[in-house]
Amino acid sequence: MEVTEVKIAEPKIKMKRSIIDVDIHNYTPLDEIKRYLPRAYRDQIDLWGWRLPGSLYLNGGVKVGQMTDSTPPGGGFPGSDLQFMREQLLDRYQIDYGVLTGSDYSCQASPDLDYAAAVSSAINEYTLEHWLAKESRLKGSVFIPKQDPLQSAKEIHRVGSHPDMVQVIVSSGAEKPYGHRYYHPIYEACVEHNLPFTIHVLMEGVGINGPNTGAGYVSYYPEYRASRPMVMAAHLASFIYEGVFEKFPTLKVVLQEAGVFWIAPYLWKMDEDWKALRFQTPWVKKKPSEYFRSNVRVSSQPLEPTPNPETFNQMMNSVYANETLMFCSDYPHWDFDSPLRAFPKLEDSLWEKIFYQNAADLYSLPARGAGKEGAR
Amino acid sequence: MKYNAAEVGEIEIGTCKIVNIDGRSIGIYYDGENYHAIRNVCPHEQAELCKGHFSGTTLTSKPHEYIYGMEGEILVCPWHGWEFNVKTGESLVDPDRYRVKVYDVSVEEDRIVVHI
Ligand code: FES
């Protein structure tokens, strides 16, 4: 009998070049966040709890929506341990820059505007101190109380010019579609600080936000996932028809995690309707797809596999992936897209745009290899 | 060819030992009666499948009915949660297209032997 050496096998990871990952969920635990809240709120929480609305649906994966193998070896929640994140994600997949998107958006569904503002600020302080100050490859997202646009603008002015903050982030669940003029103070502040406005799926149908479909509440998580593009689609059309990109021509909007290829027929439809109905919104001077190309970016995960490569290439062209698409993994969530496996083989120049350049341009990040970055 | 992968008693019920046999990473799973050897690579995005979770699952049923079964026979991928039958390597959703290689296992002189 032949006896072989028994050892744990690690899969070989061969990246062709380093990349940027625009959606990494660092864990932002409430007990840590609490320390950054004013005393009055800390007392309330001790007495009455957090009074933040929670999810309505089961998630995927085994450990509350996370990849099972992302639990840090020393224990703790996935995405909570910077060193393990370096090993499992940043170093392993040669990620030059990663944009942190936090883990808890519940304050963006709270009816208490001042509390939402305080929790947002606390998340931002926590992220600056515990993540961005320790690892220069990581960049941060400014959480805002989007249900109060004036306080949101204040928070953007407060932390938005920090060199490690690269975008403003909100949940896709909202009280009104995001193009509405109600929100414009937020965009004024985004433009002033040169920060993209990123809409990340979450909190649809939760708390003060509108239901997760126009047809009402769905029953199951897969059904809820299927409804995400509908909510995101409403935001996209709202930006275009409310004339946001005419009013704020340099504003960039990122659509995150609602899928990618649904956008293609949606643009065709909007372009066609614009031809006949242009007179109703005469400030929409260009075809909707042109605003999409100039002002909107899309992150890739969860990218839809197509039935065959021809369809994939057609869909990529139809969403102008070359200009608009940016790779992201969504680590450590269960529906993580591997940088090596999520996409079929891409032509080199397209790969470069999606895995690096489009994100570098959007977030003003250095070219590949410019200056060694890492632990601070 | 036969490979000695573990000692009897070394792998607890419901758990799995990952070994490297001839360059292949393979998980040996013990269901309390039999040992099963399955390739440690998920056919979806190549996660280390055997670092996933062993369980049963909800069997195909009528709308709004839950029937739990296949206790201890299901290996759930650590990444996207695809379910595989640990005995056959077949995925539950598309057994013909997504199938993980499984290997015969025997117990010889208190050793768990994988046949490749
Ligand atoms: S890698 Fe296993 S389910 Fe995706």
Side-chain angles (χ1 to χ4, degrees):
Chain A
M1 187 193 305
E2 188 169 337
V3 177
T4 60
E5 192 197 340
V6 165
K7 59 182 184 195
I8 300 293
E10 281 294 328
K12 287 187 209 76
I13 302 284
K14 258 200 237 105
M15 297 293 296
K16 71 171 160 187
R17 284 193 287 281
S18 62
I19 62 172
I20 296 175
D21 180 347
V22 303
D23 186 18
I24 300 174
H25 291 282
N26 59 315
Y27 188 47
T28 55
L30 288 176
D31 5 324
E32 295 275 346
I33 300 306
K34 192 175 133 189
R35 293 201 266 127
Y36 298 89
L37 285 172
R39 174 69 194 270
Y41 288 127
R42 295 204 309 267
D43 282 4
Q44 281 183 20
I45 290 162
D46 289 342
L47 275 171
W48 306 106
W50 277 88
R51 64 189 171 93
L52 290 170
S55 170
L56 302 172
Y57 300 98
L58 287 178
N59 205 321
V62 176
K63 185 154 186 178
V64 217
Q66 318 294 319
M67 301 152 80
T68 319
D69 59 355
S70 63
T71 300
F77 203 76
S80 66
D81 180 331
L82 173 59
Q83 185 49 33
F84 188 56
M85 182 187 282
R86 286 186 182 119
E87 287 162 25
Q88 197 176 32
L89 183 73
L90 303 179
D91 298 345
R92 191 183 213 187
Y93 294 108
Q94 286 186 47
I95 293 174
D96 278 0
Y97 297 101
V99 181
L100 296 180
T101 47
S103 67
D104 192 333
Y105 292 56
S106 55
C107 69
Q108 295 183 337
S110 166
D112 183 338
L113 307 185
D114 295 326
Y115 183 50
V119 175
S120 298
S121 300
I123 293 174
N124 294 334
E125 289 305 308
Y126 165 80
T127 303
L128 281 165
E129 194 177 322
H130 286 267
W131 293 87
L132 305 180
K134 293 179 182 163
E135 172 55 66
S136 58
R137 282 174 290 184
L138 295 176
K139 303 294 165 193
S141 303
V142 178
F143 276 75
I144 54 170
K146 50 73 171 163
Q147 55 275 58
D148 184 342
L150 292 176
Q151 289 209 75
S152 293
K154 227 166 114 187
E155 182 65 6
I156 296 169
H157 292 310
R158 192 181 74 83
V159 287
S161 52
H162 189 289
D164 289 328
M165 287 296 196
V166 296
Q167 68 183 359
V168 167
I169 202 157
V170 296
S171 65
S172 186
E175 290 173 281
K176 291 177 192 296
Y178 279 122
H180 198 280
R181 72 183 67 170
Y182 169 75
Y183 294 112
H184 292 193
I186 299 176
Y187 307 137
E188 218 173 283
C190 285
V191 164
E192 195 180 321
H193 294 274
N194 193 25
L195 296 172
F197 179 79
T198 295
I199 308 171
H200 191 295
V201 297
L202 266 182
M203 297 293 135
E204 301 92 333
V206 177
I208 55 169
N209 297 331
N212 44 40
T213 79
Y217 283 81
V218 297
S219 303
Y220 303 108
Y221 180 67
E223 202 181 357
Y224 164 63
R225 281 173 79 88
S227 74
R228 287 170 165 177
M230 302 178 208
V231 181
M232 200 60 97
H235 292 314
L236 175 56
S238 174
F239 274 104
I240 289 166
Y241 291 112
E242 296 274 1
V244 179
F245 301 131
E246 285 296 333
K247 203 167 155 192
F248 304 101
T250 58
L251 178 70
K252 293 281 195 293
V253 171
V254 180
L255 314 182
Q256 195 144 71
E257 222 179 309
V260 175
F261 292 145
W262 61 268
I263 294 168
Y266 195 64
L267 293 178
W268 301 334
K269 176 163 179 51
M270 283 199 290
D271 280 1
E272 184 59 16
D273 287 348
W274 175 76
K275 290 178 197 158
L277 304 171
R278 187 217 55 81
F279 74 98
Q280 292 192 21
T281 53
W283 50 86
V284 181
K285 297 182 187 136
K286 302 183 282 190
K287 282 193 290 188
S289 61
E290 288 181 36
Y291 291 104
F292 174 77
R293 290 172 70 174
S294 55
N295 294 83
V296 181
R297 298 291 174 264
V298 181
S299 65
S300 61
Q301 184 278 345
L303 188 69
E304 305 90 342
T306 56
N308 55 55
E310 299 78 66
T311 310
F312 184 83
N313 292 335
Q314 283 162 2
M315 295 311 278
M316 290 285 278
N317 289 335
S318 301
V319 299
Y320 310 95
N322 192 33
E323 301 157 34
T324 63
L325 193 62
M326 305 182 291
F327 170 77
C328 72
S329 70
D330 196 34
Y331 176 91
H333 289 178
W334 70 273
D335 46 350
F336 171 77
D337 266 353
S338 158
L340 290 167
R341 298 285 156 193
F343 280 82
K345 197 166 163 34
L346 299 177
E347 194 197 305
D348 202 55
S349 62
L350 181 60
W351 185 93
E352 184 62 23
K353 287 290 196 70
I354 293 170
F355 281 84
Y356 203 99
Q357 202 51 48
N358 289 343
D361 291 346
L362 179 71
Y363 297 119
S364 309
L365 296 171
R368 183 183 285 114
K372 280 259 171 284
E373 301 263 345
R376 297 197 199 240
Chain B
M1 203 117 85
K2 290 176 170 189
Y3 294 86
N4 169 25
E7 308 274 313
V8 167
E10 189 185 334
I11 306 173
E12 283 175 31
I13 296 175
T15 68
C16 164
K17 176 181 180 182
I18 297 169
V19 299
N20 189 327
I21 296 178
D22 214 13
R24 297 181 188 87
S25 181
I26 292 173
I28 319 288
Y29 172 67
Y30 183 42
D31 66 11
E33 251 172 69
N34 297 302
Y35 292 93
H36 305 277
I38 184 164
R39 190 81 198 268
N40 183 26
V41 180
C42 180
H44 177 219
E45 288 194 15
Q46 303 200 338
E48 286 191 79
L49 183 60
C50 301
K51 288 191 177 169
H53 172 79
F54 292 95
S55 68
T57 192
T58 50
L59 306 180
T60 306
S61 61
K62 295 207 291 280
H64 308 121
E65 176 186 53
Y66 291 113
I67 308 168
Y68 199 83
M70 295 182 81
E71 187 69 79
E73 289 178 34
I74 297 292
L75 172 51
V76 184
C77 179
W79 285 4
H80 312 104
W82 290 18
E83 299 164 301
F84 296 89
N85 181 330
V86 72
K87 295 182 173 171
T88 64
E90 290 170 345
S91 81
L92 261 51
V93 285
D94 197 347
D96 296 328
R97 175 139 179 242
Y98 297 108
R99 179 192 290 264
V100 191
K101 181 105 181 102
V102 290
Y103 306 92
D104 287 337
V105 185
S106 58
V107 176
E108 296 173 17
E109 299 160 7
D110 270 358
R111 293 174 140 187
I112 300 160
V113 176
V114 177
H115 303 241
I116 290 179

